[in-house]
């Protein structure tokens, strides 16, 4: 009995389409291009595709599937760039099960993908905004904020993230949304501190902490995955992700600068509150834990993943702070902290049965120097080139060092990263 060539080609079309859908769901959930390629390749093998090749950027996937003498090339576009850790985890588990089984049918994979795609977000708008507010409030303390600054940042970040979550899910332009939400967060913060000062505060100015209210807009996932894509020699995806991250940062910073110009604010760091060494240490551990936890939950992480990321981030971030205060170059402390995060995650993530990226990106997001990045855009907008270069270069070095630390940890613990072949 011979097989009709047309049937073979139709079957290849069905299998290739399912593989491409895996990539599309992975890419739209915020993972790096190397992870998207790996997931598609594993599903392709399980479906009996002889050879699968893919080119992945920030918003596009081009794939070619080979089976016998036939091949099929497909292209898809992902217009919505977001983060969904819960979906990434479910996709990784599905791909792992297919890999372990060795064989799969199109119907089985499609049913699994339908369940994943149809699953609603874990947290509604109000809860998602609450996680962002908690994270930024913790950031505010680590940036030397006092009680008034922390409460003001909490309110501003809550309002800004609630608006962003609502508008992004309705399809508004991400850069316009970023600028609007930065303005709302800053105005919420300034309204709160103005009210506090009006009802009889001590007279100490609190305006310097308003930058922390927009730190929920830091594109932590694109920054980290962009550098990791570069480390994997995937320059098209890495450059695209970093360009997107820079545009998001610039959009937020320009909005903050415009408001600063109108209101007359300067984004200089506040003076640190006077605390005992033991109390300060305990509060830094608590703020680091809560900050990472908030970011992880904001990324739609299940609680067990968020808790693991928070513990790892706390353990790595506090020593980094003390290294910086001891005079160690910030990029050195960032690289060492990220290396520690990567090595610990290599042990913890497999035991949780989750992708490493879902743990180590939230853990290092709190180390991203968002204040420096905003200060760089503020100064360059005011024509203060020297100050802008100082802040911008330091911020870029720290972010690059975070990625370098994670990449080294990955190379030490993952053979696919240590060898190109």
């Amino acid at each position: 009995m011979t097989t009709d060539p047309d049937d073979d080609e139709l079957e290849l079309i069905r299998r290739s389409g399912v593989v491409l859908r895996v990539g599309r769901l992975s890419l739209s959930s915020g993972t790096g291009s190397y992870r998207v390629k790996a997931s598609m390749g594993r599903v392709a093998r399980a479906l009996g595709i002889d050879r699968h090749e893919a080119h992945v950027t920030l918003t596009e996937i081009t794939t070619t599937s080979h089976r016998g003498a036939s091949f099929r090339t497909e292209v898809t576009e992902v217009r919505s760039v977001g983060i969904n850790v819960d979906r990434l985890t479910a996709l990784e588990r599905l791909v792992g099960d297919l890999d372990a089984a060795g064989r799969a049918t199109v119907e089985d994979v499609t049913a699994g993908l339908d369940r994943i795609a149809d699953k609603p977000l874990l947290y509604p708008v109000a809860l998602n905004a609450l996680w962002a507010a908690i994270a930024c409030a913790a950031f505010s303390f680590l940036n030397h904020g006092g009680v008034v600054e922390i409460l003001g940042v909490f309110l501003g970040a809550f309002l800004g993230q609630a608006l962003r979550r609502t508008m992004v899910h309705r399809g508004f332009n991400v850069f316009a949304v970023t600028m609007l939400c930065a303005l709302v967060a800053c105005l919420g913060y300034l309204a709160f501190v103005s009210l506090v000062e009006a009802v009889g505060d001590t007279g100490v100015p609190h305006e310097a902490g308003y930058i922390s209210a927009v730190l929920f807009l830091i594109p932590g996932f694109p920054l980290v995955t962009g550098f990791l894509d570069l480390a994997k020699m995937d320059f098209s995806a890495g450059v695209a992700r970093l360009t997107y991250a820079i545009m998001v940062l610039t959009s937020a910073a320009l909005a903050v600068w415009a408001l600063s110009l109108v209101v007359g604010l300067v984004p200089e760091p506040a003076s640190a509150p006077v605390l005992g060494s033991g109390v300060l240490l305990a509060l830094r551990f608590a703020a680091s834990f809560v900050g990472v936890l908030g970011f992880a939950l904001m990324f739609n992480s299940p609680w067990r993943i968020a808790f693991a990321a928070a513990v790892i981030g706390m353990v790595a971030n506090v020593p980094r702070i003390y290294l910086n205060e001891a005079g160690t170059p910030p990029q050195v402390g960032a690289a060492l902290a990220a290396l520690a995060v990567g090595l610990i995650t290599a042990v913890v993530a497999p035991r949780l049965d989750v992708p490493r990226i879902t743990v180590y990106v939230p853990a290092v997001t709190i180390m991203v120097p968002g204040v420096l990045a905003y200060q760089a855009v503020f100064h360059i907008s005011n024509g203060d080139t020297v100050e802008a270069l100082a802040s911008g270069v330091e911020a870029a070095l720290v972010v690059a060092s975070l990625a370098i630390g994670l990449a080294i940890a990955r190379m030490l613990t993952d053979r696919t990263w240590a060898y190109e072949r």
Side-chain angles (χ1 to χ4, degrees):
M1 181 177 178
T2 60
T3 303
D4 190 337
D6 290 339
D7 291 341
D8 287 341
E9 291 180 4
L10 288 174
E11 186 63 22
L12 178 59
I13 290 172
R14 295 176 67 232
R15 298 182 188 188
S16 175
V18 171
V19 173
L20 186 61
R21 189 182 178 196
V22 171
R24 182 182 176 85
L25 286 173
S26 298
L27 188 61
S28 66
S29 299
T31 193
S33 66
Y34 62 91
R35 174 58 60 187
V36 175
K37 293 178 183 178
S39 296
M40 287 193 293
R42 293 163 68 187
V43 174
R45 286 193 299 271
L47 288 173
I49 293 175
D50 297 335
R51 182 160 56 94
H52 183 268
E53 299 165 342
H55 176 73
V56 181
T57 67
L58 176 66
T59 57
E60 296 176 346
I61 303 175
T62 303
T63 65
T64 299
S65 301
H66 298 261
R67 188 166 184 261
S70 301
F71 70 92
R72 178 172 174 80
T73 297
E74 296 181 90
V75 179
T76 190
E77 187 177 26
V78 178
R79 298 304 302 169
S80 176
V81 180
I83 311 298
N84 190 335
V85 169
D86 185 49
R87 176 176 289 182
L88 285 178
T89 304
L91 285 168
E92 181 70 14
R93 188 169 295 116
L94 173 65
V95 172
D97 291 343
L98 295 175
D99 215 13
R103 299 292 294 177
T105 65
V106 171
E107 290 74 18
D108 289 341
V109 180
T110 299
L113 293 177
D114 286 342
R115 287 192 297 271
I116 294 171
D118 294 339
K119 185 179 181 180
L121 295 172
L122 296 176
Y123 313 109
V125 173
L127 268 182
N128 182 261
L130 177 63
W131 308 144
I134 290 173
C136 289
F139 242 130
S140 178
F141 173 78
L142 295 175
N143 289 331
H144 303 155
V147 174
V148 173
E149 286 84 3
I150 291 172
L151 294 176
V153 166
F154 182 93
L155 175 63
F158 180 89
L159 296 174
Q161 176 61 15
L163 180 62
R164 181 172 74 154
R165 166 78 176 266
T166 301
M167 295 186 71
V168 166
H169 282 267
R170 292 184 178 179
F172 288 92
N173 180 276
V174 65
F175 303 116
V177 170
T178 298
M179 297 181 74
L180 179 60
C181 294
L183 286 174
V184 168
C186 286
L187 288 172
Y189 174 86
L190 293 175
F192 178 81
V193 298
S194 298
L195 179 63
V196 170
E197 292 171 357
V199 297
D201 189 49
T202 59
V204 178
H206 301 291
E207 286 80 0
Y210 73 102
I211 290 293
S212 296
V214 297
L215 293 181
F216 66 93
L217 294 169
I218 292 176
F221 258 83
L223 280 172
V224 174
T225 56
F227 275 109
L228 292 178
D229 282 337
L230 293 179
K232 288 286 287 182
M233 302 295 289
D234 193 342
F235 292 103
S236 59
V239 171
R241 288 180 187 280
L242 292 179
T243 301
Y244 168 79
I246 291 171
M247 289 182 67
V248 170
L249 277 173
T250 303
S251 298
L254 286 174
V256 171
W257 168 76
L259 181 64
S260 302
L261 193 65
V262 172
V263 182
L265 301 176
V266 179
E268 296 301 329
S271 57
V274 179
L275 298 170
S277 57
V279 173
L280 181 60
L281 176 63
L283 289 177
R284 281 176 170 174
F285 271 114
S288 297
F289 176 87
V290 170
V292 175
L293 183 71
F295 277 123
L297 294 172
M298 189 182 77
F299 295 149
N300 201 48
S301 299
W303 273 94
R304 65 192 185 98
I305 297 178
F307 185 83
V311 172
I312 295 171
M314 173 189 68
V315 170
N317 188 52
V318 174
R320 180 191 67 87
I321 294 173
Y322 282 101
L323 282 175
N324 291 347
E325 291 180 347
T328 303
Q331 58 269 29
V332 174
L336 292 175
L339 177 62
V341 168
L343 292 176
I344 298 172
T345 300
V347 176
V348 173
R351 286 162 173 75
L352 294 176
D353 191 26
V354 299
R356 297 188 199 186
I357 192 173
T358 62
V359 177
Y360 63 58
V361 171
V364 302
T365 296
I366 200 169
M367 306 176 196
V368 174
V371 172
L372 284 174
Y374 288 130
Q375 286 176 342
V377 176
F378 176 89
H379 289 308
I380 201 168
S381 298
N382 282 341
D384 300 327
T385 307
V386 175
E387 290 82 355
L389 284 174
S391 298
V393 170
E394 183 177 342
L397 286 174
V398 170
V399 173
S401 298
L402 291 173
I404 289 170
L406 291 176
I408 291 174
R410 199 66 190 255
M411 293 174 190
L412 292 174
T413 58
D414 188 342
R415 289 178 60 86
T416 63
W417 278 70
Y419 301 97
E420 290 298 327
R421 297 182 181 179

